[in-house]
Coordinates of all heavy atoms in Angstrom, one line a residue:
M1 N 105.6 86.2 90.0 CA 106.4 87.3 89.4 C 106.8 88.3 90.4 O 105.9 88.9 91.1 CB 105.7 87.9 88.2 CG 105.8 87.1 86.9 SD 107.2 87.4 86.0 CE 106.8 89.0 85.1
E2 N 108.0 88.6 90.4 CA 108.5 89.6 91.4 C 108.7 91.0 90.7 O 109.4 91.0 89.7 CB 109.8 89.2 92.1 CG 109.9 89.7 93.5 CD 111.1 89.1 94.2 OE1 111.1 87.8 94.3 OE2 112.0 89.8 94.5
K3 N 108.1 92.0 91.2 CA 108.3 93.3 90.6 C 109.6 93.9 91.2 O 109.9 93.7 92.4 CB 107.1 94.2 91.0 CG 106.1 94.2 89.9 CD 105.2 95.5 90.0 CE 104.5 95.6 91.3 NZ 103.5 96.7 91.4
V4 N 110.3 94.6 90.3 CA 111.4 95.4 90.9 C 110.9 96.7 91.3 O 110.4 97.5 90.5 CB 112.5 95.6 89.8 CG1 113.6 96.5 90.3 CG2 113.0 94.2 89.4
L5 N 111.0 97.0 92.6 CA 110.5 98.3 93.1 C 111.6 99.3 93.1 O 112.8 99.0 93.4 CB 110.0 98.1 94.5 CG 108.8 97.1 94.7 CD1 108.5 96.9 96.1 CD2 107.6 97.6 94.0
K6 N 111.2 100.5 92.7 CA 112.2 101.5 92.7 C 111.7 102.7 93.6 O 110.5 103.0 93.6 CB 112.5 102.0 91.3 CG 113.2 101.0 90.5 CD 113.6 101.6 89.1 CE 114.4 100.5 88.3 NZ 114.8 101.0 87.0
C7 N 112.6 103.3 94.2 CA 112.3 104.5 95.0 C 111.8 105.6 94.1 O 112.4 105.9 93.1 CB 113.6 104.9 95.8 SG 113.3 106.5 96.6
S8 N 110.7 106.2 94.5 CA 110.1 107.3 93.7 C 111.1 108.5 93.6 O 111.0 109.3 92.7 CB 108.8 107.7 94.3 OG 107.9 106.6 94.3
A9 N 111.9 108.7 94.6 CA 112.7 109.8 94.7 C 114.1 109.6 94.0 O 114.5 110.4 93.1 CB 112.9 110.3 96.1
S10 N 114.7 108.6 94.4 CA 116.1 108.4 93.9 C 116.2 107.4 92.8 O 117.3 107.3 92.2 CB 117.0 107.9 95.1 OG 116.6 106.7 95.5
K11 N 115.1 106.7 92.4 CA 115.1 105.7 91.4 C 116.1 104.5 91.6 O 116.4 103.8 90.7 CB 115.5 106.3 90.0 CG 114.8 107.6 89.7 CD 113.3 107.4 89.5 CE 112.7 108.8 89.2 NZ 111.2 108.8 89.5
T12 N 116.4 104.3 92.8 CA 117.3 103.2 93.2 C 116.4 102.0 93.4 O 115.3 102.1 93.8 CB 118.1 103.4 94.4 OG1 117.2 103.9 95.4 CG2 119.2 104.4 94.2
E13 N 116.9 100.8 93.0 CA 116.1 99.6 93.2 C 116.2 99.2 94.7 O 117.1 99.4 95.4 CB 116.8 98.5 92.4 CG 116.6 98.7 90.9 CD 117.0 97.5 90.0 OE1 117.3 96.5 90.6 OE2 117.1 97.7 88.8
L14 N 115.0 98.7 95.1 CA 114.9 98.4 96.5 C 115.1 96.9 96.9 O 114.7 96.5 97.9 CB 113.5 98.9 97.0 CG 113.2 100.3 96.7 CD1 111.8 100.6 97.3 CD2 114.2 101.2 97.3
T15 N 115.7 96.2 96.0 CA 115.8 94.8 96.1 C 116.4 94.4 97.5 O 115.9 93.5 98.2 CB 116.7 94.2 95.0 OG1 116.4 94.8 93.8 CG2 116.5 92.7 94.9
N16 N 117.4 95.1 97.9 CA 118.0 94.7 99.2 C 117.9 95.9 100.2 O 118.8 96.0 101.1 CB 119.5 94.4 98.9 CG 119.6 93.1 98.1 OD1 119.0 92.1 98.4 ND2 120.4 93.2 97.0
D17 N 116.9 96.7 100.0 CA 116.8 97.8 100.9 C 115.8 97.5 102.0 O 114.6 97.6 101.8 CB 116.4 99.1 100.1 CG 116.5 100.3 100.9 OD1 116.5 100.3 102.1 OD2 116.6 101.4 100.3
K18 N 116.3 97.2 103.2 CA 115.4 96.8 104.3 C 114.6 98.0 104.9 O 113.6 97.8 105.5 CB 116.2 96.1 105.4 CG 116.7 94.7 104.9 CD 117.6 94.1 106.0 CE 118.1 92.7 105.5 NZ 119.1 92.2 106.4
G19 N 115.1 99.2 104.7 CA 114.5 100.3 105.3 C 113.5 101.0 104.4 O 113.0 102.1 104.7
S20 N 113.2 100.4 103.3 CA 112.3 101.1 102.3 C 110.9 101.0 102.7 O 110.5 100.1 103.5 CB 112.5 100.5 100.9 OG 112.1 99.1 101.0
V21 N 110.1 102.0 102.3 CA 108.7 102.0 102.6 C 107.9 102.2 101.4 O 108.3 102.9 100.4 CB 108.3 103.1 103.6 CG1 108.8 102.7 105.0 CG2 108.8 104.4 103.2
I22 N 106.7 101.6 101.3 CA 105.7 101.8 100.2 C 104.4 102.3 100.9 O 103.9 101.7 101.8 CB 105.5 100.5 99.4 CG1 106.8 100.0 98.9 CG2 104.6 100.8 98.3 CD1 106.7 98.6 98.3
F23 N 103.9 103.4 100.3 CA 102.6 103.8 100.8 C 101.8 104.5 99.7 O 102.4 104.9 98.7 CB 102.8 104.8 102.0 CG 103.7 105.9 101.8 CD1 103.2 107.1 101.3 CD2 105.1 105.8 101.9 CE1 104.0 108.2 101.1 CE2 105.9 106.9 101.7 CZ 105.4 108.1 101.3
K24 N 100.5 104.6 99.9 CA 99.7 105.3 98.9 C 99.9 106.8 99.1 O 100.1 107.3 100.1 CB 98.2 104.9 99.2 CG 97.9 103.5 99.0 CD 97.9 103.1 97.5 CE 97.5 101.7 97.3 NZ 97.7 101.2 95.9
C25 N 99.8 107.4 97.9 CA 99.9 108.9 97.9 C 98.9 109.5 98.9 O 97.7 109.1 98.8 CB 99.6 109.4 96.5 SG 99.4 111.2 96.4
P26 N 99.3 110.3 99.8 CA 98.4 110.9 100.8 C 97.3 111.8 100.2 O 96.3 112.1 100.8 CB 99.3 111.7 101.7 CG 100.5 111.9 101.0 CD 100.7 110.8 100.0
K27 N 97.6 112.3 98.9 CA 96.6 113.2 98.3 C 95.6 112.5 97.5 O 94.4 112.6 97.7 CB 97.4 114.2 97.5 CG 96.5 115.3 97.0 CD 97.3 116.4 96.2 CE 96.3 117.5 95.7 NZ 97.0 118.4 94.8
C28 N 96.0 111.7 96.5 CA 95.1 111.0 95.6 C 94.8 109.6 96.1 O 93.8 109.0 95.7 CB 95.6 111.1 94.2 SG 97.0 110.0 93.9
G29 N 95.6 109.0 96.9 CA 95.4 107.7 97.3 C 95.4 106.6 96.3 O 95.0 105.5 96.5
Q30 N 96.0 106.9 95.1 CA 96.0 105.9 94.0 C 97.3 105.4 93.7 O 97.5 104.2 93.4 CB 95.4 106.6 92.8 CG 93.9 106.8 92.9 CD 93.4 107.5 91.6 OE1 93.8 107.1 90.5 NE2 92.5 108.4 91.7
A31 N 98.3 106.2 93.7 CA 99.6 105.8 93.3 C 100.4 105.3 94.5 O 100.2 105.8 95.7 CB 100.4 107.0 92.7
D32 N 101.3 104.4 94.3 CA 102.2 103.9 95.4 C 103.4 104.8 95.4 O 104.1 104.9 94.3 CB 102.6 102.5 95.1 CG 101.4 101.5 95.4 OD1 100.7 101.7 96.4 OD2 101.3 100.5 94.6
I33 N 103.7 105.3 96.5 CA 104.9 106.1 96.7 C 106.0 105.1 97.3 O 105.7 104.5 98.3 CB 104.8 107.3 97.6 CG1 103.6 108.1 97.2 CG2 106.0 108.1 97.7 CD1 103.8 108.9 95.9
I34 N 107.1 105.1 96.7 CA 108.1 104.2 97.2 C 109.3 105.0 97.6 O 109.9 105.8 96.9 CB 108.5 103.1 96.2 CG1 107.3 102.4 95.7 CG2 109.6 102.2 96.7 CD1 107.6 101.7 94.4
R35 N 109.8 104.8 98.9 CA 110.9 105.5 99.3 C 111.9 104.5 99.9 O 111.6 103.7 100.7 CB 110.5 106.5 100.4 CG 109.5 107.5 100.0 CD 109.4 108.7 100.9 NE 110.5 109.6 100.6 CZ 111.0 110.5 101.4 NH1 110.5 110.6 102.6 NH2 111.9 111.3 101.1
S36 N 113.2 104.7 99.5 CA 114.2 103.9 100.0 C 114.7 104.4 101.3 O 114.5 105.6 101.7 CB 115.4 103.9 99.0 OG 116.0 105.1 98.9
Y37 N 115.4 103.6 102.0 CA 115.9 104.0 103.3 C 116.8 105.2 103.1 O 116.8 106.2 103.9 CB 116.7 102.9 103.9 CG 117.4 103.2 105.2 CD1 116.6 103.4 106.4 CD2 118.8 103.4 105.3 CE1 117.2 103.7 107.6 CE2 119.4 103.7 106.5 CZ 118.6 103.9 107.6 OH 119.3 104.2 108.8
H38 N 117.6 105.2 102.1 CA 118.5 106.2 101.8 C 117.8 107.6 101.6 O 118.2 108.6 102.1 CB 119.3 105.9 100.5 CG 120.3 106.9 100.1 ND1 121.5 107.1 100.8 CD2 120.4 107.7 99.0 CE1 122.2 108.0 100.2 NE2 121.5 108.4 99.1
S39 N 116.7 107.5 100.8 CA 116.0 108.8 100.6 C 115.3 109.3 101.9 O 115.2 110.5 102.1 CB 114.9 108.5 99.5 OG 115.5 108.3 98.3
R40 N 114.9 108.4 102.7 CA 114.3 108.8 104.0 C 115.3 109.5 104.8 O 115.0 110.5 105.5 CB 113.6 107.6 104.7 CG 112.4 107.1 104.0 CD 112.0 105.8 104.5 NE 111.6 105.8 105.9 CZ 111.7 104.8 106.8 NH1 112.2 103.7 106.4 NH2 111.4 104.9 108.0
E41 N 116.5 108.9 104.9 CA 117.5 109.5 105.7 C 117.9 110.9 105.2 O 118.1 111.8 106.0 CB 118.8 108.6 105.6 CG 119.0 107.7 106.7 CD 120.4 107.3 106.8 OE1 121.1 107.2 105.8 OE2 120.9 107.0 107.9
L42 N 117.9 111.1 103.9 CA 118.3 112.4 103.3 C 117.0 113.3 103.2 O 117.2 114.4 102.8 CB 118.9 112.2 102.0 CG 120.2 111.4 101.9 CD1 120.6 111.2 100.5 CD2 121.3 112.1 102.7
A43 N 115.9 112.8 103.5 CA 114.6 113.5 103.4 C 114.4 114.0 101.9 O 114.0 115.1 101.7 CB 114.5 114.7 104.4
T44 N 114.8 113.1 101.0 CA 114.6 113.5 99.6 C 113.1 113.6 99.3 O 112.3 112.8 99.7 CB 115.2 112.4 98.7 OG1 116.5 112.1 99.2 CG2 115.2 112.8 97.3
K45 N 112.8 114.6 98.5 CA 111.4 114.8 98.1 C 111.0 113.7 97.2 O 111.7 113.2 96.3 CB 111.3 116.1 97.4 CG 111.0 117.3 98.3 CD 110.6 118.5 97.4 CE 110.3 119.7 98.3 NZ 109.8 120.8 97.5
Y46 N 109.7 113.3 97.3 CA 109.1 112.4 96.4 C 108.0 113.1 95.6 O 107.5 114.2 96.1 CB 108.6 111.2 97.1 CG 107.4 111.4 98.1 CD1 106.1 111.6 97.6 CD2 107.7 111.5 99.4 CE1 105.1 111.8 98.5 CE2 106.7 111.7 100.3 CZ 105.4 111.9 99.9 OH 104.4 112.1 100.8
E47 N 107.6 112.6 94.5 CA 106.5 113.2 93.8 C 105.6 112.1 93.3 O 106.0 111.1 92.7 CB 107.1 114.0 92.6 CG 106.0 114.7 91.8 CD 106.5 115.5 90.6 OE1 107.7 115.8 90.6 OE2 105.7 115.8 89.7
C48 N 104.3 112.3 93.5 CA 103.3 111.3 93.1 C 103.3 111.3 91.6 O 103.1 112.3 91.0 CB 102.0 111.7 93.7 SG 100.6 110.6 93.0
P49 N 103.4 110.1 91.0 CA 103.3 110.0 89.5 C 101.9 110.3 88.9 O 101.8 110.6 87.8 CB 103.8 108.6 89.2 CG 103.5 107.8 90.5 CD 103.6 108.8 91.6
K50 N 100.9 110.3 89.8 CA 99.6 110.5 89.3 C 99.1 112.0 89.4 O 98.6 112.6 88.5 CB 98.6 109.6 90.0 CG 98.8 108.1 89.7 CD 97.4 107.4 89.5 CE 97.7 106.0 89.0 NZ 96.5 105.3 88.7
C51 N 99.2 112.5 90.7 CA 98.7 113.8 90.9 C 99.8 114.9 91.1 O 99.5 116.1 91.1 CB 97.8 113.8 92.1 SG 98.6 113.6 93.7
G52 N 101.0 114.5 91.2 CA 102.1 115.4 91.3 C 102.3 115.9 92.7 O 103.1 116.8 92.9
F53 N 101.7 115.3 93.7 CA 101.8 115.7 95.1 C 103.3 115.5 95.5 O 103.9 114.5 95.1 CB 101.0 114.8 96.0 CG 101.2 115.1 97.4 CD1 100.5 116.1 98.1 CD2 102.0 114.2 98.2 CE1 100.7 116.4 99.4 CE2 102.2 114.4 99.5 CZ 101.5 115.5 100.2
E54 N 103.8 116.5 96.2 CA 105.2 116.4 96.6 C 105.3 116.4 98.1 O 104.5 117.1 98.8 CB 106.0 117.6 96.1 CG 106.5 117.4 94.7 CD 107.4 118.5 94.3 OE1 107.8 119.4 95.1 OE2 107.8 118.6 93.1
G55 N 106.3 115.7 98.6 CA 106.5 115.9 100.0 C 107.4 114.8 100.6 O 107.7 113.8 100.0
P56 N 107.9 115.1 101.7 CA 108.5 114.0 102.5 C 107.6 113.8 103.8 O 108.1 113.9 104.9 CB 109.8 114.5 102.9 CG 109.7 116.0 102.9 CD 108.4 116.4 102.3
N57 N 106.3 113.5 103.6 CA 105.6 113.2 104.9 C 104.6 112.0 104.7 O 104.1 111.8 103.7 CB 104.8 114.4 105.3 CG 103.9 115.0 104.3 OD1 103.8 114.5 103.2 ND2 103.3 116.1 104.5
Ligands
ZN101 ZN1 98.8 111.4 94.2

């Protein structure tokens, strides 16, 4: 089963986004933060769905 990943910031689907990244929240380490290439370029803020941590870092 393939999950549809969405950017945490822009909510865009990452199906064909080669520049996207997925990483654990730097604060709580539990939630996956997903950022699309587009959001990284624009330095769009992301927010952790678990602890509310915000940042582009
Ligand atoms: Zn977090």
Side-chain angles (χ1 to χ4, degrees):
M1 278 276 280
E2 210 173 300
K3 267 200 299 184
V4 176
L5 298 175
K6 290 189 180 181
C7 173
S8 301
S10 65
K11 313 297 182 200
T12 48
E13 293 188 9
L14 302 183
T15 320
N16 294 311
D17 191 339
K18 288 176 183 169
S20 60
V21 289
I22 304 172
F23 54 94
K24 295 288 181 190
C25 169
K27 191 177 178 189
C28 68
Q30 288 180 41
D32 287 319
I33 308 291
I34 304 163
R35 303 198 79 202
S36 68
Y37 176 73
H38 183 68
S39 289
R40 288 168 65 207
E41 260 200 332
L42 298 176
T44 309
K45 272 193 177 182
Y46 63 81
E47 184 178 342
C48 172
K50 291 220 174 188
C51 70
F53 176 83
E54 277 188 5
N57 54 5

